[in-house]
Amino acid sequence: MRRYFAAQSELESLKAQLEAARQAAGEAIGVFYDHRQNAEHAADLQRSHRLREEIASLMQHAEA
């Protein structure tokens, strides 16, 4: 469960950073959060997707 909470904390921090960058850039949500259209933040966007998948996987494992 430690990894679950660590991943969740990392994801929340990353989401806050990305949203602050989106608002500063004045970008539309659909454009900013599309890693194919936002090369500047593509790595962070992909990392957030991986963290979501990891969190879901850890929760499934805990439920089993």
Side-chain angles (χ1 to χ4, degrees), residues 13 26 29 31 50-51 63:
S13 174
I29 291 172
V31 174
R50 284 193 302 272
L51 285 168
E63 290 173 350

Side-chain angles (χ1 to χ4, degrees), residues 7-54:
Q8 193 171 29
S9 176
E10 184 179 351
L11 178 59
E12 289 303 316
S13 174
L14 184 55
K15 284 172 33 179
Q17 291 172 12
L18 286 168
E19 185 58 19
R22 183 192 73 79
Q23 290 179 1
E27 292 278 344
I29 291 172
V31 174
F32 184 87
Y33 287 102
D34 183 351
H35 67 276
R36 295 167 297 197
Q37 295 184 45
N38 186 350
E40 182 180 347
H41 294 96
D44 287 335
L45 293 168
Q46 290 175 337
R47 190 168 114 224
S48 72
H49 288 292
R50 284 193 302 272
L51 285 168
R52 284 189 180 112
E53 291 171 355
E54 181 180 0

